[in-house]
Amino acid sequence: MSIPSASKPILWWCVVGTVILLFCLFIYRTGAAMYHNHQLRKEFSVATNASPYQQAVPMDQMDFAAYTSYFPDIFALPDYEWTNRIETPISLKYYAEIPSSGEAAALEIAKGTTIIAIPEWTTGSPFYEVGYGYTSYPSYEQGWRYVRPFMLAEDSDLASNQKYYYVDINSLEAVLDKVIKVNSPVRAEIRQQGWSLSKGKHFIARSVDHALYQHGAYLSPDLYDRVMDRWNAILLGAIGMMLAAILLSRGAWLPRHR
């Protein structure tokens, strides 16, 4: 069906207006990420005594006991009934080294496996144990965490769960997303902070990073906002396609002068 001549200029200006709005949104999101990252660097105060991170000690040689005093109560919640065990919503792949291209995982927990997501043995906070599960240490590369894997529900041998591996932070956030959904006390605490559930998940996955930052031990790359994240890429793609449509059909849409 052809577009009536009188409607073409209106349609053209609607498309142009949409492109302008999308571009403004892109600039805003990009600028906000850049400002956040600038403030992180500006406000980070390095501790007088250089931490193992500041000394660039390899992750597999790092003494995590140096940070014990940083974590008295990262996310302590009241003693409610917890859903500690869940079926992992994705396959969890753990690596001995950060993979560069297609290396096989050193350990994999298949999707649907029942894992102990919230530790059942800790005497501290009921919600986390530093260095286990989703409460991971940042590595030197953005997006890769260093942590002891989730234990399987049928495995109660804590002594065998002392080895650390690298894992993609997106995998840990996928587990966290499910943990938050099935534990109402966590959702309540997140909302009390004035956060969305998404922001709460983001913070919990980086709780160790925040503690390290506050003590001047390490400015984790995972605290930075991605300037070109998925949504910015989508916005840029939409802008590009709409601009191409405008350029290709401007002759048909623009009013013709006599």
Side-chain angles (χ1 to χ4, degrees):
M1 183 176 68
S2 62
I3 301 172
S5 299
S7 301
K8 290 179 180 178
I10 297 174
L11 180 59
W12 188 84
W13 282 112
C14 286
V15 174
V16 170
T18 302
V19 169
I20 292 172
L21 287 174
L22 290 178
F23 183 71
C24 289
L25 180 58
F26 172 78
I27 292 298
Y28 171 77
R29 295 187 85 259
T30 302
M34 293 176 69
Y35 177 76
H36 169 81
N37 296 343
H38 170 73
Q39 290 299 107
L40 268 181
R41 292 187 292 268
K42 179 181 176 182
E43 297 175 7
F44 180 61
S45 179
V46 180
T48 304
N49 296 322
S51 71
Y53 274 109
Q54 297 293 342
Q55 298 173 48
V57 173
M59 297 302 298
D60 60 354
Q61 298 176 26
M62 192 171 292
D63 179 13
F64 296 115
Y67 312 117
T68 302
S69 62
Y70 298 177
F71 311 107
D73 213 353
I74 290 181
F75 205 87
L77 300 178
D79 190 17
Y80 293 111
E81 287 294 323
W82 297 93
T83 300
N84 298 74
R85 303 183 177 206
I86 66 168
E87 292 184 358
T88 176
I90 61 167
S91 292
L92 294 164
K93 296 182 179 181
Y94 295 90
Y95 298 86
E97 300 288 342
I98 296 176
S100 54
S101 58
E103 288 92 336
L107 173 67
E108 183 170 354
I109 301 176
K111 178 180 178 179
T113 302
T114 302
I115 59 173
I116 304 175
I118 299 178
E120 300 171 334
W121 52 83
T122 180
T123 57
S125 167
F127 189 62
Y128 75 92
E129 178 178 305
V130 177
Y132 171 82
Y134 47 71
T135 314
S136 57
Y137 287 94
S139 69
Y140 295 105
E141 185 172 325
Q142 189 175 39
W144 287 97
R145 313 295 295 182
Y146 200 61
V147 72
R148 288 180 288 122
F150 291 103
M151 291 182 64
L152 306 187
E154 67 268 17
D155 187 2
S156 59
D157 184 9
L158 292 176
S160 66
N161 185 247
Q162 299 305 309
K163 185 174 176 58
Y164 281 77
Y165 295 89
Y166 293 95
V167 63
D168 184 351
I169 194 171
N170 293 320
S171 298
L172 301 186
E173 288 188 338
V175 174
L176 254 175
D177 189 57
K178 187 166 183 179
V179 169
I180 291 170
K181 286 179 180 177
V182 300
N183 283 282
S184 57
V186 185
R187 298 197 302 276
E189 180 67 17
I190 288 172
R191 292 192 177 102
Q192 285 178 12
Q193 298 292 332
W195 298 337
S196 66
L197 294 182
S198 177
K199 184 174 180 180
K201 176 181 67 177
H202 186 276
F203 178 86
I204 295 168
R206 295 161 179 79
S207 54
V208 173
D209 309 50
H210 287 286
L212 293 171
Y213 181 89
Q214 291 166 5
H215 287 83
Y218 185 45
L219 174 48
S220 164
D222 286 324
L223 290 180
Y224 287 107
D225 284 348
R226 291 185 181 274
V227 176
M228 184 54 70
D229 62 4
R230 180 181 62 179
W231 288 109
N232 272 354
I234 291 172
L235 283 172
L236 204 56
I239 291 168
M241 288 188 291
M242 295 184 79
L243 282 175
I246 290 172
L247 293 173
L248 290 173
S249 52
R250 69 183 184 278
W253 288 8
L254 286 173
R256 299 185 180 181
H257 299 282
R258 296 180 179 178

